[in-house]
């Protein structure tokens, strides 16, 4: 069952611009995580935000969480060509801490 | 360097054949997971294991089987009962049951001959 749904499905920006990606979910969560996947590779964990947190930063990444709207956003500032990848949100909402992934956002950063 | 190793990178299955995908981790993680990824789709959970000698079905377990005889290893068998096995298979691990990030291998791409 799909829990997180990302928006937009695809995003194309120029190098140096900021990229904002959104994730909405349906049920209450313990935490929400963002992952990156380069073509043909596994996923890499970027950042985890807990349900009692509203904002977290990691380098050029900023994640916000609004539990009242059941949504999260991932902001990548000063994007680089190397940021070109698919980005997934994943929610942890059960006692077994299984993650439920969205379908992903394809980000293209043009040099 | 610690990590998760999946092998082989590419695998071809003949009709009626069972194939086994390997997943090994040296991160000393208790929990391990198998996901299936189809083009343009998110990851769907096949099986997961919280501890050695124990595993549970995920959302799409039919046609698959697993074992967890050692902490480091969590092989996935795609049986002939899985009628649409062509996909990208990803193995992951996390420190323990609980709220933890997952670490992923680089996947095995399975195709039908």
């Amino acid at each position: 069952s799909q829990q997180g749904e990302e928006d937009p499905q695809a995003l194309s920006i120029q190098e140096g611009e900021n990229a904002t990606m959104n994730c909405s979910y349906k049920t209450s969560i313990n935490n929400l995580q963002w992952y990156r996947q380069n073509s043909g590779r596994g996923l890499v964990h970027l950042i985890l935000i807990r349900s009692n947190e509203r904002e977290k930063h990691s380098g050029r990444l900023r994640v916000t969480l609004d539990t009242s709207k059941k949504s999260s956003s991932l902001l990548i500032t000063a994007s680089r060509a190397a940021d070109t990848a698919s980005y997934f949100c994943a929610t942890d909402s059960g006692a077994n801490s299984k993650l439920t992934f969205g379908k992903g956002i394809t980000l293209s950063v043009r040099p | 360097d610690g990590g998760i190793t999946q092998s082989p990178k590419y695998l071809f299955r003949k009709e009626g054949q069972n194939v086994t995908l390997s997943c090994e981790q040296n991160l000393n993680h208790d929990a391990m997971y198998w996901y299936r990824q189809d083009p343009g789709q998110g990851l769907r959970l096949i099986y997961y294991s919280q501890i050695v000698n124990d595993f549970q079905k995920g959302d799409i377990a039919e046609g698959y089987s697993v074992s967890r005889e050692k902490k480091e290893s969590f092989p996935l068998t795609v049986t002939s009962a899985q009628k649409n096995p062509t996909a990208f298979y990803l193995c992951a691990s996390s420190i323990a049951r609980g709220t933890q990030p997952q670490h992923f291998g680089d996947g095995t791409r399975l195709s039908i001959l």
Side-chain angles (χ1 to χ4, degrees):
Chain A
S1 59
Q2 213 79 41
Q3 163 76 308
E5 293 209 3
E6 296 94 343
D7 168 60
Q9 289 187 326
L11 183 60
S12 181
I13 60 174
Q14 201 74 35
E15 203 165 28
E17 293 179 339
N18 295 343
T20 299
M21 292 168 268
N22 302 301
C23 171
S24 59
Y25 56 92
K26 297 187 176 81
T27 63
S28 62
I29 60 172
N30 297 326
N31 69 69
L32 185 144
Q33 303 177 31
W34 284 92
Y35 289 80
R36 183 187 76 228
Q37 184 180 33
N38 290 88
S39 182
R41 304 293 299 273
L43 277 68
V44 174
H45 179 261
L46 295 175
I47 198 163
L48 180 154
I49 186 164
R50 301 185 194 284
S51 59
N52 61 352
E53 297 175 314
R54 292 296 167 258
E55 187 171 314
K56 275 188 93 166
H57 296 254
S58 177
R60 293 184 295 114
L61 306 180
R62 174 178 160 244
V63 169
T64 61
L65 180 65
D66 187 335
T67 53
S68 65
K69 295 181 180 176
K70 292 187 170 59
S71 68
S72 172
S73 68
L74 170 67
L75 169 68
I76 303 175
T77 59
S79 63
R80 305 167 183 168
D83 294 328
T84 294
S86 294
Y87 291 81
F88 294 86
C89 70
T91 51
D92 166 13
S93 54
N96 290 324
S97 291
K98 293 188 293 179
L99 288 182
T100 304
F101 288 82
K103 292 184 179 180
I105 297 169
T106 301
L107 173 66
S108 298
V109 181
R110 303 185 302 273
Chain B
D1 263 345
I4 298 182
T5 302
Q6 289 188 242
S7 63
K9 192 163 179 63
Y10 300 96
L11 187 58
F12 298 91
R13 195 191 88 169
K14 294 179 182 177
E15 294 287 342
Q17 186 182 44
N18 293 353
V19 292
T20 298
L21 284 60
S22 170
C23 177
E24 303 277 331
Q25 55 102 355
N26 61 3
L27 298 165
N28 201 32
H29 286 174
D30 283 321
M32 297 187 75
Y33 312 83
W34 273 106
Y35 294 94
R36 170 180 172 139
Q37 186 178 30
D38 292 284
Q41 300 292 316
L43 277 64
R44 291 185 289 169
L45 183 64
I46 304 172
Y47 268 98
Y48 65 102
S49 168
Q50 308 271 14
I51 199 167
V52 174
N53 292 324
D54 185 53
F55 50 82
Q56 286 82 41
K57 292 181 179 179
D59 300 318
I60 55 164
E62 186 174 348
Y64 301 97
S65 66
V66 293
S67 63
R68 187 86 187 276
E69 297 174 2
K70 297 187 298 182
K71 187 175 185 177
E72 306 80 28
S73 179
F74 191 40
L76 173 74
T77 296
V78 183
T79 74
S80 56
Q82 172 49 246
K83 297 306 178 190
N84 184 24
T86 297
F88 191 48
Y89 290 87
L90 287 160
C91 179
S93 70
S94 61
I95 291 173
R97 174 177 176 167
T99 304
Q100 301 291 345
Q102 292 185 9
H103 299 255
F104 283 80
D106 268 342
T108 292
R109 191 167 298 279
L110 176 62
S111 303
I112 294 295
L113 278 178

Coordinates of all heavy atoms in Angstrom, one line a residue, chain A residues 17-70:
Chain A
E17 N 20.2 26.6 -8.9 CA 18.9 26.9 -8.4 C 18.5 25.9 -7.2 O 19.2 24.9 -7.0 CB 17.8 26.7 -9.5 CG 17.9 27.7 -10.6 CD 16.9 27.4 -11.7 OE1 16.4 26.3 -11.8 OE2 16.6 28.4 -12.5
N18 N 17.5 26.3 -6.5 CA 17.0 25.4 -5.4 C 15.9 24.5 -5.9 O 15.2 24.8 -6.8 CB 16.4 26.3 -4.3 CG 17.4 27.1 -3.6 OD1 18.6 26.9 -3.7 ND2 16.9 28.1 -2.9
A19 N 15.9 23.3 -5.3 CA 14.9 22.2 -5.7 C 14.0 21.9 -4.5 O 14.6 21.6 -3.4 CB 15.6 21.0 -6.2
T20 N 12.7 22.0 -4.7 CA 11.8 21.7 -3.6 C 10.9 20.5 -4.0 O 10.3 20.6 -5.1 CB 10.9 22.9 -3.3 OG1 11.7 24.0 -2.8 CG2 10.0 22.5 -2.1
M21 N 10.9 19.5 -3.2 CA 10.1 18.3 -3.4 C 9.2 18.1 -2.2 O 9.6 18.3 -1.1 CB 11.0 17.1 -3.6 CG 11.8 17.2 -4.9 SD 13.2 16.0 -5.1 CE 14.5 16.9 -4.4
N22 N 8.0 17.6 -2.5 CA 7.0 17.5 -1.5 C 6.5 16.0 -1.4 O 6.6 15.3 -2.3 CB 5.8 18.3 -1.8 CG 6.1 19.8 -1.9 OD1 6.6 20.4 -1.0 ND2 5.9 20.4 -3.1
C23 N 6.1 15.7 -0.2 CA 5.6 14.3 0.1 C 4.4 14.4 1.0 O 4.4 15.2 2.0 CB 6.7 13.5 0.8 SG 6.2 11.9 1.5
S24 N 3.3 13.8 0.6 CA 2.2 13.7 1.5 C 1.9 12.3 1.9 O 2.2 11.3 1.1 CB 0.9 14.3 0.8 OG 0.7 13.6 -0.4
Y25 N 1.3 12.1 3.0 CA 1.0 10.7 3.5 C -0.3 10.7 4.2 O -1.0 11.7 4.4 CB 2.1 10.3 4.5 CG 2.4 11.2 5.7 CD1 1.7 11.0 6.9 CD2 3.3 12.3 5.6 CE1 1.9 11.8 8.0 CE2 3.5 13.1 6.7 CZ 2.8 12.9 7.9 OH 3.0 13.7 8.9
K26 N -0.8 9.5 4.5 CA -2.2 9.4 4.9 C -2.4 9.1 6.4 O -3.4 9.6 7.0 CB -2.9 8.2 4.1 CG -2.9 8.5 2.6 CD -3.7 7.4 1.9 CE -3.9 7.7 0.4 NZ -2.7 7.3 -0.4
T27 N -1.5 8.3 7.0 CA -1.8 7.9 8.4 C -0.7 8.5 9.3 O 0.3 9.0 8.8 CB -1.8 6.4 8.6 OG1 -0.5 5.9 8.2 CG2 -2.8 5.8 7.6
S28 N -0.9 8.5 10.6 CA 0.1 9.1 11.5 C 1.4 8.3 11.4 O 1.4 7.1 11.1 CB -0.5 9.0 12.9 OG -0.7 7.7 13.3
I29 N 2.5 8.9 11.7 CA 3.8 8.4 11.5 C 4.7 8.5 12.7 O 4.5 9.4 13.6 CB 4.6 9.0 10.3 CG1 4.7 10.5 10.5 CG2 3.8 8.7 9.0 CD1 5.6 11.2 9.5
N30 N 5.7 7.6 12.8 CA 6.7 7.8 13.9 C 7.8 8.7 13.3 O 8.4 9.5 14.1 CB 7.4 6.4 14.2 CG 6.4 5.5 14.8 OD1 5.5 5.9 15.5 ND2 6.5 4.2 14.5
N31 N 8.2 8.5 12.1 CA 9.2 9.4 11.4 C 9.0 9.3 9.9 O 8.3 8.5 9.4 CB 10.6 9.0 11.8 CG 11.0 7.7 11.2 OD1 11.2 7.6 10.0 ND2 11.2 6.7 12.1
L32 N 9.6 10.3 9.3 CA 9.6 10.3 7.8 C 11.1 10.4 7.3 O 11.9 11.2 7.9 CB 8.8 11.5 7.3 CG 8.6 11.6 5.8 CD1 7.2 12.1 5.5 CD2 9.6 12.5 5.1
Q33 N 11.4 9.7 6.3 CA 12.8 9.7 5.8 C 12.8 10.0 4.3 O 11.9 9.7 3.6 CB 13.4 8.3 6.1 CG 13.4 7.8 7.5 CD 13.9 6.4 7.7 OE1 14.8 6.0 7.0 NE2 13.4 5.7 8.7
W34 N 13.9 10.6 3.9 CA 14.1 10.9 2.5 C 15.4 10.1 2.1 O 16.4 10.0 2.8 CB 14.4 12.4 2.3 CG 13.1 13.2 2.3 CD1 12.6 13.8 3.4 CD2 12.2 13.5 1.2 NE1 11.4 14.5 3.1 CE2 11.2 14.3 1.7 CE3 12.2 13.1 -0.1 CZ2 10.1 14.8 0.9 CZ3 11.2 13.6 -0.9 CH2 10.2 14.4 -0.4
Y35 N 15.3 9.5 0.9 CA 16.3 8.8 0.3 C 16.6 9.3 -1.2 O 15.7 9.8 -1.8 CB 16.0 7.3 0.2 CG 15.9 6.5 1.5 CD1 14.8 6.7 2.4 CD2 17.0 5.7 1.9 CE1 14.8 6.0 3.6 CE2 17.0 5.1 3.1 CZ 15.9 5.2 4.0 OH 15.9 4.5 5.2
R36 N 17.8 9.1 -1.6 CA 18.2 9.4 -3.0 C 18.6 8.1 -3.7 O 19.2 7.2 -3.1 CB 19.4 10.3 -3.0 CG 19.8 10.8 -4.4 CD 21.1 11.6 -4.4 NE 22.2 10.8 -4.2 CZ 23.2 11.0 -3.4 NH1 23.1 12.1 -2.6 NH2 24.2 10.2 -3.2
Q37 N 18.3 8.0 -5.0 CA 18.7 6.8 -5.8 C 19.3 7.3 -7.1 O 18.5 7.9 -7.9 CB 17.5 5.8 -6.0 CG 17.9 4.6 -6.8 CD 16.7 3.6 -7.0 OE1 15.6 4.1 -7.2 NE2 17.0 2.3 -7.0
N38 N 20.5 7.0 -7.3 CA 21.1 7.2 -8.6 C 20.7 6.1 -9.5 O 20.5 5.0 -9.1 CB 22.6 7.4 -8.5 CG 23.0 8.7 -7.8 OD1 23.1 8.7 -6.6 ND2 23.2 9.7 -8.6
S39 N 20.7 6.3 -10.8 CA 20.3 5.4 -11.8 C 21.0 4.0 -11.7 O 22.2 4.0 -11.7 CB 20.5 5.9 -13.2 OG 20.0 5.0 -14.2
G40 N 20.2 2.9 -11.5 CA 20.8 1.6 -11.5 C 21.5 1.3 -10.1 O 22.2 0.2 -10.1
R41 N 21.3 2.1 -9.1 CA 22.0 1.9 -7.8 C 21.0 1.7 -6.7 O 19.8 1.8 -6.9 CB 22.9 3.1 -7.5 CG 23.9 3.4 -8.6 CD 25.0 2.3 -8.7 NE 25.7 2.1 -7.5 CZ 26.8 2.8 -7.2 NH1 27.3 3.8 -8.0 NH2 27.5 2.5 -6.1
G42 N 21.5 1.4 -5.5 CA 20.6 1.3 -4.4 C 20.3 2.7 -3.8 O 20.7 3.7 -4.3
L43 N 19.4 2.7 -2.8 CA 19.0 3.9 -2.2 C 20.0 4.4 -1.1 O 20.6 3.5 -0.5 CB 17.6 3.8 -1.5 CG 16.4 4.0 -2.5 CD1 16.3 2.8 -3.4 CD2 15.1 4.1 -1.6
V44 N 20.2 5.7 -1.0 CA 21.1 6.2 0.0 C 20.2 7.1 0.9 O 19.5 8.0 0.5 CB 22.2 7.1 -0.6 CG1 23.0 7.8 0.4 CG2 23.1 6.2 -1.5
H45 N 20.3 6.8 2.2 CA 19.6 7.6 3.2 C 20.1 9.0 3.3 O 21.3 9.2 3.4 CB 19.7 6.9 4.6 CG 19.0 7.7 5.7 ND1 19.6 8.5 6.5 CD2 17.7 7.7 6.0 CE1 18.7 9.0 7.4 NE2 17.5 8.5 7.0
L46 N 19.2 10.0 3.2 CA 19.6 11.4 3.3 C 19.4 12.0 4.7 O 20.2 12.6 5.3 CB 18.9 12.2 2.3 CG 19.1 11.9 0.8 CD1 18.2 12.7 -0.1 CD2 20.6 12.1 0.5
I47 N 18.1 11.9 5.2 CA 17.8 12.6 6.4 C 16.5 11.9 7.0 O 15.6 11.4 6.2 CB 17.6 14.1 6.1 CG1 17.6 14.9 7.4 CG2 16.3 14.3 5.3 CD1 17.9 16.4 7.1
L48 N 16.4 11.9 8.3 CA 15.3 11.4 9.0 C 14.7 12.5 9.9 O 15.5 13.2 10.6 CB 15.7 10.2 9.9 CG 14.7 9.5 10.7 CD1 15.1 8.0 10.9 CD2 14.4 10.1 12.1
I49 N 13.4 12.7 9.9 CA 12.8 13.7 10.7 C 11.7 13.0 11.5 O 10.9 12.2 11.0 CB 12.2 14.9 9.9 CG1 11.7 16.0 10.9 CG2 11.2 14.5 8.9 CD1 11.5 17.3 10.2
R50 N 11.7 13.1 12.8 CA 10.8 12.5 13.7 C 9.4 13.2 13.8 O 9.4 14.4 13.5 CB 11.4 12.3 15.1 CG 12.7 11.5 15.1 CD 13.2 11.2 16.5 NE 14.6 10.8 16.4 CZ 15.0 9.6 16.0 NH1 14.1 8.7 15.7 NH2 16.3 9.3 16.0
S51 N 8.4 12.6 14.2 CA 7.1 13.2 14.2 C 7.0 14.4 15.2 O 6.1 15.3 15.0 CB 6.0 12.2 14.6 OG 6.3 11.7 15.9
N52 N 7.9 14.5 16.1 CA 7.8 15.7 17.0 C 8.8 16.8 16.6 O 9.0 17.8 17.3 CB 8.1 15.2 18.5 CG 9.5 14.7 18.6 OD1 10.2 14.4 17.7 ND2 9.9 14.4 19.9
E53 N 9.4 16.6 15.4 CA 10.3 17.7 14.9 C 9.6 18.4 13.8 O 8.8 17.8 13.0 CB 11.6 17.0 14.4 CG 12.4 16.4 15.5 CD 13.6 15.7 15.0 OE1 13.5 14.9 14.0 OE2 14.7 15.8 15.7
R54 N 10.0 19.6 13.5 CA 9.3 20.4 12.5 C 10.3 20.7 11.3 O 9.9 20.9 10.2 CB 8.8 21.7 13.0 CG 7.6 21.5 14.0 CD 6.4 20.9 13.2 NE 5.4 20.4 14.1 CZ 5.3 19.1 14.4 NH1 6.1 18.2 13.8 NH2 4.3 18.7 15.2
E55 N 11.6 20.7 11.6 CA 12.6 21.1 10.6 C 13.9 20.5 11.0 O 14.3 20.4 12.2 CB 12.7 22.6 10.5 CG 13.5 23.1 9.4 CD 13.4 24.6 9.2 OE1 12.3 25.2 9.3 OE2 14.5 25.3 9.1
K56 N 14.6 20.0 9.9 CA 16.0 19.5 10.1 C 16.9 19.9 9.0 O 16.4 20.1 7.8 CB 16.0 18.0 10.2 CG 15.7 17.5 11.6 CD 16.0 16.0 11.7 CE 17.4 15.7 12.2 NZ 17.5 14.3 12.6
H57 N 18.2 20.1 9.3 CA 19.1 20.5 8.2 C 20.2 19.5 8.2 O 20.6 19.0 9.2 CB 19.7 21.9 8.5 CG 18.7 23.0 8.5 ND1 18.6 23.9 7.5 CD2 17.7 23.3 9.4 CE1 17.6 24.8 7.8 NE2 17.0 24.4 8.9
S58 N 20.7 19.3 7.0 CA 22.0 18.5 6.8 C 22.7 19.0 5.6 O 22.2 18.8 4.4 CB 21.6 17.0 6.7 OG 22.8 16.3 6.4
G59 N 23.7 19.8 5.8 CA 24.4 20.4 4.6 C 23.5 21.3 3.8 O 22.9 22.2 4.3
R60 N 23.4 20.9 2.5 CA 22.5 21.7 1.6 C 21.0 21.2 1.6 O 20.2 21.7 0.9 CB 23.0 21.6 0.2 CG 24.4 22.3 0.0 CD 24.8 22.2 -1.5 NE 25.0 20.9 -2.0 CZ 24.3 20.3 -2.9 NH1 23.3 20.9 -3.5 NH2 24.5 19.1 -3.3
L61 N 20.7 20.3 2.5 CA 19.4 19.8 2.6 C 18.6 20.4 3.8 O 19.2 20.6 4.9 CB 19.4 18.2 2.8 CG 20.2 17.4 1.8 CD1 20.1 15.9 2.2 CD2 19.7 17.6 0.4
R62 N 17.4 20.7 3.5 CA 16.5 21.1 4.6 C 15.2 20.4 4.5 O 14.6 20.4 3.4 CB 16.2 22.7 4.5 CG 15.2 23.2 5.5 CD 15.1 24.7 5.4 NE 13.8 25.1 6.0 CZ 12.8 25.7 5.3 NH1 12.9 25.9 4.0 NH2 11.7 26.0 5.9
V63 N 14.7 19.8 5.5 CA 13.5 19.0 5.5 C 12.5 19.6 6.5 O 12.9 20.0 7.6 CB 13.7 17.5 5.9 CG1 12.4 16.8 6.1 CG2 14.5 16.8 4.7
T64 N 11.3 19.8 6.1 CA 10.3 20.2 7.1 C 9.2 19.1 7.2 O 9.0 18.3 6.2 CB 9.6 21.5 6.6 OG1 9.0 21.3 5.3 CG2 10.6 22.6 6.5
L65 N 8.5 19.1 8.3 CA 7.4 18.2 8.5 C 6.2 18.9 9.1 O 6.4 19.6 10.1 CB 7.9 17.1 9.4 CG 6.8 16.0 9.8 CD1 6.4 15.2 8.5 CD2 7.4 15.0 10.9
D66 N 5.1 18.8 8.5 CA 3.8 19.3 9.1 C 2.9 18.2 9.3 O 2.2 17.7 8.4 CB 3.3 20.4 8.1 CG 2.1 21.1 8.6 OD1 1.4 20.6 9.6 OD2 1.8 22.2 8.2
T67 N 2.8 17.7 10.6 CA 2.0 16.6 10.9 C 0.5 16.9 10.8 O -0.3 16.0 10.5 CB 2.3 16.0 12.3 OG1 2.2 17.0 13.2 CG2 3.7 15.4 12.3
S68 N 0.1 18.2 11.0 CA -1.3 18.5 10.9 C -1.8 18.4 9.4 O -2.9 18.1 9.2 CB -1.5 19.9 11.4 OG -0.9 20.9 10.5
K69 N -0.9 18.7 8.4 CA -1.2 18.5 7.0 C -0.7 17.2 6.5 O -0.9 16.9 5.3 CB -0.6 19.7 6.2 CG -1.1 21.1 6.6 CD -0.5 22.1 5.7 CE -1.1 23.5 6.1 NZ -0.4 24.6 5.3
K70 N -0.1 16.4 7.3 CA 0.5 15.1 6.8 C 1.3 15.4 5.6 O 1.1 14.7 4.5 CB -0.6 14.1 6.6 CG -1.3 13.6 7.9 CD -2.3 12.5 7.6 CE -2.8 11.9 8.9 NZ -3.5 12.8 9.7

